[in-house]
């Protein structure tokens, strides 16, 4: 519940239908896609323009309440969860593409535009937006900017930050700042780059300028089938070190294959296999066949039992189907799913995959891997039922061990999902006091009053003396226990 | 020690063999003054020097190999230069991972020699890449024409070790190619030009050297080349870089040249070249392949040379013809030459202000900046004599720091010991 005076101000600024205070309707905004964390916001407001965001932020901050920006709520780190009765500023109505400037291969849009819709709008101009998170049919570009999202094809094309060239942001004190824009030559510090990946802590992006790419002319897609997951990891590492640059390389492991094949999404992958590797090359037609052949050879040498190749678009979609539907299928076989997101050096993939499977066995848990192998970005998914207390405890221990294993091999705790609420207590695994202190300092530059998305990214116990809007009470919230609530 | 001047006190912290003074030091300073050049041998020494600078109020100027004397503007003269040239160890190179971690002072030649046997490279081709240091290229963060294919330096820096202006040691980012843990301080320090800290170590993403490196060189009048450039830009074919140069008026040979670089598999590169030339309806005067193409572009990174005046104009690539026009006005007054990154929309002018009076030139630059900014572009001085820079300002809109930039500067360098100007 928020004070009635604030409700009135928000209604005045954004209109009655843009302000949600009704408890039942607030339920929808209780969590993001990582449903283990649930907190009901104090209210939700859905502005349409930069000016409305500015006025709404000023009003909310004026009441001393924390603010949480929210896109589509597909985040996997609890970033859009509203702690301490925070007010959610949602971008659902800021869904207009303002300009497609085909001559300069750029677009300007509002943050609530869905990722796939931008590419669809650019298509008639022969262009598309390269970063393609697997959630691209639902997630927003604003969310992508906040998380610096990746996707299967980021192996060749790079992640969100490479494509964001300008931002209009409403800072936590209601100031509107324009960062970069008109390409990427603006002088000054790279504030656009600093804002990308700031997980809603530095302000709300209200206009986004991005670069677009010409559609690739042709594509070749392969599917390697392996009896051992380490072998698929070796194939990936060999392909990369041989100098081939596929557009995407994704691994789907045995448990995931079986989950997919048992579901309505069955893609025709052999259920006795322990790994499937999707490899895609794109570009001008000349030379693509040769590259695909070489990649197939590497698969064979690493121990692939079979390498399929798509002859047309239908077959290509079929080869991708197991990858694309993996999350949906897993959701059906277990009530709860813990998604991890560590990145490791590619050469360590075989040993890490083996290590993860051993940890799973030791704790008697089902761990299913489906991930961006070419970038070394793992997604071990632990399937469980949170009503089983004993299992819950094992999940927590296994999950910590997996993360430690990845960090010890030279990796990091998150490659694309962000730290959010979920991984903030793991930040000290990779950063010391000085680095965390510097991050707090930078956050304070943007948000001196602690208004924007407090309780995320940085563990509170490392915070220097600093005011924070609302009371932060969950400093040491355990990872999954929160999900045991309603 | 107590009687020594502050810079002297700093110099006293290193063995004499790693301190330059007098004329030897002045060579590093261009037309500015400097008391000494110091060469710390490891991160600890960098930290010791920066802490001492904070205690004694000595101004510091971070530098790499000193290939850019004066380094494009100091906030104040005096103080000492801290060079990272001795920090040139390679800490980690895993060819199969395509990643490398090295000291900021690692020189380009050494780096290239290390990567070449493995068929790899670091495609950073900003001005001066090739002569300077890895850390210097990252600190300047200026992209060259290859940005079209490989991104700007900031897109390929995975992690940094820096000693901030306050003397704190930070290890930010990492050495994996995807990493979103915490705020992206790596981007903040990349391109911060030594105004926030001294970069001591760099982790970068490497790339396999493509099987074929082909450059089609077109020649003709400026208008003609702009037309070809337009065709290249409009084509959906994968062009790695395209750079246009305009010679000094009256120079021998064609007035202008456009070099279009295609990188990829052999079959692919040939196909792209053939189709591109057909598509734009122009035939290249020469086509360079393999080593020839590579050397051609490597030489281009040294294009600015030691020119006392380098002006960088940028706008959306669709405005290239207009920007080129303004750049030519500047060039006409400075006996200057032009180089344009056709795909990036950047035009650089190099010349000598001696060809014109300072006041006249400054007036021209100010009016050109106004025109470029009116179409959403920018004009910055990369290098300029003190008097010109003082009249014109190094950067225009957005440069030098709005409120956020000023606060970031205060956060990392509260005593303002780092005298490199903010970018
Ligand atoms: C099935 C599935 C597959 C996925 N696959 C991928 C993948 O391949 N790659 C990948 O990177 N991610 C993936 N994700 C995670 C998620 O989709 C991305 O993180 C996405 O960018 C989130 O966008 P969103 O609009 O849903 O943001 P939300 O979840 O609503 O918000 C995410 C964060 O962004 C902040 N935020 C949102 N909008 C703004 C704004 N305008 N200004 C400032 N801050 C803002 C929020 O405060 C929050 O911290 C996947 C998720 C699911 C469920």
């Amino acid at each position: 519940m928020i004070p009635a005076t604030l409700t009135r101000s928000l209604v005045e600024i954004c209109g009655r239908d843009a302000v949600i205070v009704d408890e039942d309707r607030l339920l929808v905004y209780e969590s993001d896609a990582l449903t283990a964390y649930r907190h009901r916001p104090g209210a939700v407001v859905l502005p349409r323009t930069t000016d409305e965001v500015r006025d709404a932020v000023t009003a909310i901050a004026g009441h001393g309440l924390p603010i949480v920006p929210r896109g589509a709520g597909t985040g996997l780190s609890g970033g859009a969860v509203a702690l301490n009765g925070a007010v959610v500023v949602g971008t659902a109505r800021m869904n207009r593409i303002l300009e497609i400037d085909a001559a300069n291969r750029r677009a300007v849009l509002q943050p609530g535009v869905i990722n796939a819709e931008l590419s669809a709008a650019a298509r008639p101009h022969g262009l598309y937006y390269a970063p393609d998170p697997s959630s691209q049919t639902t997630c927003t570009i604003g969310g992508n900017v906040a998380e610096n999202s990746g996707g299967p094809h980021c192996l060749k094309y790079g992640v969100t930050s490479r494509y964001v060239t300008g931002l209009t942001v409403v800072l936590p004190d209601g100031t509107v700042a324009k960062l970069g824009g008109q390409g990427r030559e603006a002088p000054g510090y790279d504030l656009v780059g600093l804002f990308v990946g700031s997980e809603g802590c530095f302000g709300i992006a209200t206009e986004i300028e991005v670069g677009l790419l010409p559609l690739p002319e042709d594509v070749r897609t392969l599917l390697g089938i392996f009896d051992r997951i380490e072998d698929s990891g070796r194939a990936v590492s060999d392909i990369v070190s041989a100098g081939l640059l596929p557009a995407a390389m994704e691994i789907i492991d045995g448990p995931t294959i079986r989950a997919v094949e048992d579901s309505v999404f069955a893609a025709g992958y052999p259920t006795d296999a322990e790994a499937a590797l999707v490899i895609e090359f794109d570009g001008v037609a000349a030379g693509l066949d040769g590259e695909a052949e070489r990649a197939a050879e590497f698969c064979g040498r690493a121990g692939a039992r079979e390498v399929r190749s798509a002859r047309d678009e239908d077959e290509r979609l079929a080869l991708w189907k197991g990858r694309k539907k993996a999350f949906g299928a897993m959701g059906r076989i277990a009530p709860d799913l813990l998604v991890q997101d560590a990145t490791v050096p590619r050469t360590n993939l075989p040993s890490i995959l083996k290590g993860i499977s051993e940890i799973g066995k030791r704790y008697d848990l089902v761990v299913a891997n489906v991930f961006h192998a070419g970038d070394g970005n793992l997604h071990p998914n632990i399937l469980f039922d949170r009503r089983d207390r004993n299992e819950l405890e094992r999940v927590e221990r296994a999950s910590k061990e997996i993360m430690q294993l990845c960090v010890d091999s030279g990796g990091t705790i998150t490659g694309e999902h962000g730290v959010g609420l979920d991984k903030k207590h793991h930040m000290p695994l990779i950063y010391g006091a000085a680095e965390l202190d510097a991050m707090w300092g930078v956050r304070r530059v943007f948000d001196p009053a602690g208004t924007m998305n407090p309780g995320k990214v940085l563990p509170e116990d490392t915070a220097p003396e600093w005011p924070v809007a609302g009371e932060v009470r969950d400093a040491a919230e355990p990872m999954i226990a929160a999900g045991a609530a309603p | 020690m107590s009687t020594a001047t502050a810079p002297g006190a700093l110099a006293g912290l290193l063995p004499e063999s790693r301190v330059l003074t007098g004329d030897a030091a002045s060579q590093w300073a261009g037309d500015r003054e400097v008391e000494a050049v110091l060469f710390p041998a490891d991160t600890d020494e960098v930290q010791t020097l920066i802490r001492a600078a904070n205690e004694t109020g000595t101004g510091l100027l971070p530098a790499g190999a000193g290939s850019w004397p004066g380094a494009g503007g100091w906030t104040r003269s005096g103080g000492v230069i801290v060079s990272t040239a001795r920090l040139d160890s390679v800490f980690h190179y895993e060819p199969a991972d395509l990643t490398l971690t090295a000291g900021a002072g690692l020189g380009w030649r050494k780096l290239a020699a290390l990567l070449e046997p493995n068929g790899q490279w670091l495609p950073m081709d900003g001005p001066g890449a090739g002569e300077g240091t890895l850390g210097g290229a990252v600190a300047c963060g200026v992209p060259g024409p290859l940005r079209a294919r490989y991104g700007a330096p900031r897109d390929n820096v995975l992690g940094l070790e820096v000693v901030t202006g306050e003397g704190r040691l930070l290890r930010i980012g990492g050495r994996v190619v995807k990493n979103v843990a915490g705020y992206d301080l790596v981007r903040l320090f990349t391109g911060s030009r030594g105004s926030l800290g001294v970069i001591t170590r760099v982790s970068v993403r490497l790339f396999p050297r493509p099987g074929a490196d082909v450059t089609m060189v077109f020649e003709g009048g400026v208008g003609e080349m702009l037309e070809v450039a337009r065709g290249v830009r409009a084509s959906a074919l994968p062009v790695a870089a395209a750079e246009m140069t305009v010679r000094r008026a009256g120079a021998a040979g064609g007035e202008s040249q456009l070099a279009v670089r295609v990188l990829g598999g052999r079959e692919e590169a040939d196909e792209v070249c053939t189709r591109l030339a057909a598509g734009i309806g122009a035939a290249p005067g020469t086509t360079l392949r393999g080593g020839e193409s590579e050397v051609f572009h490597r030489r281009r990174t040294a294009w600015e040379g030691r020119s006392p005046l380098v002006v960088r104009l940028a706008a959306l690539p669709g405005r290239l013809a207009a920007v080129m026009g303004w750049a030519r006005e500047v060039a006409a007054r400075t006996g200057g030459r032009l180089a344009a990154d056709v795909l990036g929309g950047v035009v650089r002018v190099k010349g000598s202000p001696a060809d014109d009076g300072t006041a006249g030139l400054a007036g021209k630059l100010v009016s050109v900046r106004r025109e470029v900014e009116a179409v959403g572009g920018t004009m910055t001085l990369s290098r300029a004599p003190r008097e010109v820079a003082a009249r014109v300002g190094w950067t225009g809109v957005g440069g030098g720091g709005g409120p956020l930039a000023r606060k970031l500067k205060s956060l990392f360098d509260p005593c303002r010991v780092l005298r490199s100007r903010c970018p």
Side-chain angles (χ1 to χ4, degrees):
Chain A
M1 280 301 286
I2 57 168
T5 49
L6 177 57
T7 311
R8 237 174 289 129
S9 309
L10 293 176
V11 165
E12 235 163 71
I13 297 162
C14 302
R16 183 157 301 279
D17 61 341
V19 182
I20 302 168
V21 287
D22 183 35
E23 292 289 318
D24 292 344
R25 288 179 64 206
L26 288 176
L27 261 182
V28 184
Y29 296 91
E30 207 178 44
S31 75
D32 62 7
L34 188 68
T35 52
Y37 300 99
R38 293 169 200 260
H39 293 264
R40 204 166 304 174
V44 173
V45 57
L46 304 169
R48 287 177 195 276
T49 62
T50 299
D51 286 356
E52 286 186 11
V53 173
R54 179 197 59 204
D55 295 346
V57 164
T58 309
I60 302 163
H63 277 78
L65 285 173
I67 297 171
V68 178
R70 184 180 177 103
T74 69
L76 285 170
S77 53
V81 172
L83 301 173
N84 310 317
V87 179
V88 166
V89 177
T91 59
R93 298 178 182 211
M94 303 181 76
N95 56 2
R96 284 186 305 132
I97 295 174
L98 304 172
E99 182 188 0
I100 290 195
D101 172 6
N104 290 300
R105 292 184 183 152
R106 62 191 259 286
V108 182
L109 44 125
Q110 289 191 303
V113 171
I114 304 296
N115 176 299
E117 284 173 6
L118 173 58
S119 279
R123 207 179 170 83
H125 305 277
L127 300 170
Y128 77 114
Y129 178 65
D132 60 339
S134 307
S135 51
Q136 73 182 139
T137 53
T138 39
C139 67
T140 65
I141 302 286
N144 296 170
V145 166
E147 303 286 10
N148 192 12
S149 300
H153 292 81
C154 293
L155 171 60
K156 176 169 171 187
Y157 294 103
V159 295
T160 302
S161 58
R162 178 158 170 191
Y163 295 91
V164 180
T165 54
L167 292 168
T168 301
V169 301
V170 173
L171 297 173
D173 66 356
T175 324
V176 178
K178 282 198 186 285
L179 315 177
Q182 302 266 323
R184 198 71 195 273
E185 270 285 326
Y189 296 132
D190 183 9
L191 298 180
V192 173
L194 183 58
F195 190 93
V196 174
S198 61
E199 302 198 24
C201 299
F202 291 179
I204 303 178
T206 58
E207 263 182 47
I208 301 168
E209 181 189 290
V210 297
L212 303 171
L213 294 182
L215 286 161
E217 179 178 294
D218 209 346
V219 56
R220 295 287 180 280
T221 309
L222 305 173
L223 181 74
I225 305 288
F226 294 83
D227 291 324
R228 297 192 315 171
I229 184 147
E230 307 90 278
D231 295 344
S232 65
R234 190 166 321 110
V236 168
S237 173
D238 290 349
I239 288 170
V240 171
S241 54
L244 288 169
L245 188 54
M249 277 200 281
E250 303 275 312
I251 291 180
I252 305 101
D253 77 352
T256 312
I257 292 175
R258 290 183 277 282
V260 171
E261 293 305 320
D262 283 348
S263 76
V264 292
F265 306 123
Y269 292 11
T271 52
D272 62 338
E274 281 313 313
L277 168 61
V278 180
I279 306 173
E280 189 154 284
F281 290 91
D282 68 9
V284 289
L288 280 185
D289 285 328
E291 292 185 335
E293 264 162 44
R294 281 186 67 199
E297 264 171 49
F298 280 112
C299 288
R301 256 183 262 159
R305 110 167 47 143
E306 173 192 357
V307 182
R308 301 178 186 174
S309 102
R311 275 165 305 188
D312 54 37
E313 185 61 15
D314 283 347
E315 286 193 13
R316 171 177 177 249
L317 294 179
L319 296 190
W320 270 105
K321 196 170 172 195
R323 168 64 181 95
K324 301 241 168 175
K325 297 297 180 189
F327 275 100
M330 273 186 280
R332 282 158 201 252
I333 57 171
D336 296 287
L337 186 63
L338 183 96
V339 188
Q340 286 205 344
D341 178 40
T343 305
V344 299
R346 279 173 288 231
T347 41
N348 294 343
L349 274 178
S351 66
I352 296 282
L353 289 170
K354 199 149 171 261
I356 290 175
S357 121
E358 277 162 16
I359 292 171
K361 274 192 205 121
R362 189 142 34 80
Y363 287 100
D364 191 23
L365 293 168
V366 181
V367 183
N369 293 280
V370 45
F371 61 101
H372 311 305
D375 283 322
N377 187 186
L378 298 160
H379 291 324
N381 300 288
I382 308 182
L383 309 182
F384 67 103
D385 181 345
R386 68 168 165 244
R387 287 165 304 187
D388 180 343
R389 285 257 141 222
N390 174 285
E391 188 173 50
L392 194 69
E393 207 172 288
R394 281 181 282 129
V395 169
E396 229 172 295
R397 294 226 299 271
S399 144
K400 235 174 239 162
E401 263 188 53
I402 293 176
M403 207 168 300
Q404 187 72 54
L405 176 74
C406 296
V407 169
D408 289 346
S409 86
T412 188
I413 58 172
T414 172
E416 59 178 20
H417 294 166
V419 177
L421 196 52
D422 185 46
K423 291 185 270 301
K424 67 176 172 179
H425 296 296
H426 297 299
M427 285 287 276
L429 283 180
I430 48 168
Y431 290 123
E435 290 79 15
L436 293 171
D437 212 46
M439 288 188 196
W440 277 113
V442 171
R443 182 167 179 169
R444 195 197 298 226
V445 162
F446 283 86
D447 186 15
T451 304
M452 216 39 99
N453 216 357
K456 309 291 169 61
V457 184
L458 302 173
E460 278 77 28
D461 51 9
T462 64
E465 193 92 358
W466 190 38
V468 170
E471 13 107 51
V472 169
R473 38 155 218 255
D474 71 318
E477 187 170 34
M479 184 181 61
I480 296 166
Chain B
M1 243 263 202
S2 54
T3 55
T5 60
L10 249 64
L13 294 168
L14 298 185
E16 244 170 69
S17 61
R18 291 197 273 114
V19 177
L20 293 181
T21 52
D23 281 353
S26 299
Q27 290 193 352
W28 284 63
D31 64 355
R32 276 73 175 174
E33 286 118 46
V34 76
E35 263 123 300
V37 185
L38 308 180
F39 297 89
D42 58 28
T43 303
D44 279 353
E45 285 189 354
V46 174
Q47 199 171 15
T48 305
L49 290 173
I50 295 186
R51 286 188 174 153
N54 275 277
E55 278 158 25
T56 57
T58 312
L60 291 184
L61 286 148
S67 57
W68 189 346
W74 302 349
T75 53
R76 269 182 293 160
S77 244
V80 301
I81 290 178
V82 176
S83 162
T84 58
R86 298 289 174 98
L87 306 175
D88 63 349
S89 318
V90 174
F91 296 99
H92 173 92
Y93 173 36
E94 180 51 77
D97 277 336
L98 291 157
T99 55
L100 168 123
T101 303
L106 185 68
W108 283 98
R109 262 174 262 271
K110 236 169 121 177
L111 176 62
L114 182 70
L115 303 183
E116 205 156 294
N118 296 300
Q120 300 182 349
W121 68 328
L122 178 62
M124 285 188 194
D125 63 340
E131 305 161 68
T133 59
L134 177 60
V138 170
C140 291
V142 182
L146 276 175
R147 160 173 49 181
R149 162 77 180 262
Y150 294 100
R154 63 176 160 254
D155 295 311
N156 296 317
V157 179
L158 305 174
L160 293 175
E161 178 189 80
V162 295
V163 181
T164 67
E166 198 184 4
R168 293 195 185 205
L169 176 67
L170 302 180
R171 293 203 173 92
I172 48 186
R175 61 179 175 86
V176 284
V177 296
K178 260 173 101 182
N179 187 357
V180 296
Y183 308 125
D184 202 343
L185 303 190
V186 173
R187 299 245 163 183
L188 176 61
F189 279 90
T190 301
S192 65
R193 299 179 41 106
S195 65
L196 299 175
V198 175
I199 295 172
T200 49
R201 249 184 227 198
V202 181
S203 293
V204 285
R205 167 184 207 154
L206 307 170
F207 290 82
R209 252 193 184 294
D213 185 338
V214 186
T215 298
M216 294 188 285
V217 185
F218 300 86
E219 297 214 26
V222 173
E224 227 178 311
M225 287 304 101
L226 279 170
E227 208 40 52
V228 178
R230 198 198 314 263
V232 173
R233 242 181 331 103
S235 163
L237 291 164
V239 171
E243 200 176 17
M244 177 172 161
T245 48
V246 179
R247 295 206 177 92
R248 194 194 289 267
E255 189 187 11
S256 175
Q257 204 181 58
L258 176 70
V260 179
R261 189 176 195 183
V262 176
L263 300 169
R266 209 165 291 271
E267 237 181 295
E268 177 195 358
D270 284 344
E271 161 107 3
V272 170
C273 288
T274 313
R275 281 170 52 193
L276 193 65
I280 54 185
T286 354
T287 299
L288 309 171
R289 287 171 195 280
E292 276 188 353
S293 170
E294 202 222 312
V295 169
F296 177 89
H297 293 283
R298 199 182 324 132
R299 289 217 182 108
R300 277 288 170 83
T301 62
W303 181 83
E304 288 180 10
R306 302 235 157 185
S307 298
L309 179 75
V310 178
V311 184
R312 188 175 173 96
L313 301 97
L316 289 174
R319 306 240 185 232
L320 188 69
V323 174
M324 186 70 102
W326 292 313
R328 291 181 80 190
E329 286 177 29
V330 175
R333 303 187 72 134
T334 56
R337 274 161 284 180
L338 310 184
D341 170 0
V342 164
L343 303 173
V346 177
V347 184
R348 287 175 294 154
V349 185
K350 69 170 176 184
S352 164
D355 293 18
D356 199 343
T358 299
L361 174 63
K364 183 80 225 169
L365 288 170
V366 168
S367 78
V368 163
R369 175 176 285 151
R370 215 173 294 130
E371 309 225 47
V372 184
E373 286 181 352
V375 299
T378 57
M379 189 202 89
T380 52
L381 302 180
S382 298
R383 298 176 196 202
R386 236 192 313 214
E387 323 75 71
V388 176
R391 283 169 195 254
V392 179
W394 292 98
T395 56
V397 171
L404 289 171
R406 276 198 299 276
K407 286 188 216 164
L408 289 166
K409 171 76 177 169
S410 295
L411 175 66
F412 290 109
D413 183 22
C415 299
R416 299 280 195 281
V417 300
L418 298 171
R419 292 204 180 151
S420 328
R421 69 173 171 85
C422 292

